[in-house]
Amino acid sequence: MTEIRLLTEADQQALTIPNEAFPLMGRLVVTRTAEAWGYHEELLPKEAWEEQTFPDEDYQIATVLQKGFAVGAFEGETCVGLALFEMDWLKYVYLADLKVNRQARGKGIAAALLEAGRKEAVNRGKAGIWTIGQDNNLGACRFYLKQGFVIGGLNTNVYRHTQQEGKGDVYFYWE
């Protein structure tokens, strides 16, 4: 059974969960009319899929808790999922990181981490959660939309002059 709980100063080890590869299978194409955001998917043929892995971080629990809070998913003593949230002046808490070990994926752990984070955000006087997903990380974009997040913005300039030029950031909000 998986335990979902807020992390404390004693949980430094939980922050060492590594980033693992995810497939790049297409992109979320975001559109805007005068009334609303919309989107459609551009899928790549399976043989064109690649994998991407974000660099591992060096999180320190004191800094994480100073900026906000963290939620972990534990199977026994092992952390298999992690969500980091940062407080700021907005009425939303920023989801800075969300990851689940590959062998633990597909069990609803990421959704449980988000729900625990949303409840804590509300307890802290916030309206909900906001986060960013790269438009080419279609799996993440699909996940946020499935969880009830709505699109609230698109940044098409953020990766200009970098190796990731051509990608964009989709802004998601969940109350």
Side-chain angles (χ1 to χ4, degrees), residues 2-175:
T2 304
E3 175 193 12
I4 306 293
R5 64 174 173 81
L6 287 173
L7 300 187
T8 68
E9 290 281 345
D11 290 311
Q12 177 63 44
Q13 186 63 32
L15 300 181
T16 63
I17 182 173
N19 290 319
E20 295 188 76
F22 56 90
L24 298 176
M25 61 186 125
R27 67 186 276 255
L28 191 76
V29 178
V30 176
T31 58
R32 175 77 184 170
T33 65
E35 294 81 36
W37 292 98
Y39 66 91
H40 68 273
E41 296 180 359
E42 288 182 353
L43 298 174
L44 294 171
K46 183 92 171 173
E47 61 272 7
W49 289 16
E50 298 177 11
E51 285 197 334
Q52 181 176 335
T53 306
F54 292 125
D56 287 328
E57 304 83 8
D58 183 24
Y59 294 127
Q60 299 300 310
I61 192 69
T63 304
V64 168
L65 297 179
Q66 180 184 27
K67 289 181 177 182
F69 61 94
V71 181
F74 294 85
E75 291 181 354
E77 298 295 316
T78 304
C79 183
V80 298
L82 180 66
L84 301 181
F85 299 88
E86 296 178 1
M87 305 293 284
D88 60 23
W89 62 273
L90 299 170
K91 288 302 286 182
Y92 295 88
V93 170
Y94 175 58
L95 172 63
D97 199 357
L98 175 65
K99 53 185 151 185
V100 176
N101 284 350
R102 187 174 286 202
Q103 75 274 9
R105 293 179 185 167
K107 299 179 181 178
I109 291 172
L113 290 167
L114 283 180
E115 182 57 31
R118 190 187 63 74
K119 286 179 181 175
E120 183 64 19
V122 170
N123 286 343
R124 292 179 182 220
K126 299 295 184 173
I129 299 169
W130 77 281
T131 196
I132 298 169
Q134 287 182 324
D135 63 357
N136 74 320
N137 187 349
L138 186 55
C141 292
R142 284 176 172 173
F143 171 76
Y144 292 130
L145 292 166
K146 181 180 177 186
Q147 297 311 306
F149 282 77
V150 296
I151 296 171
L154 175 66
N155 183 341
T156 59
N157 288 342
V158 67
Y159 298 107
R160 289 185 67 203
H161 311 291
T162 74
Q163 290 181 346
Q164 297 190 58
E165 187 149 358
K167 297 178 184 177
D169 279 343
V170 182
Y171 289 71
F172 294 97
Y173 294 82
W174 188 39
E175 293 186 18

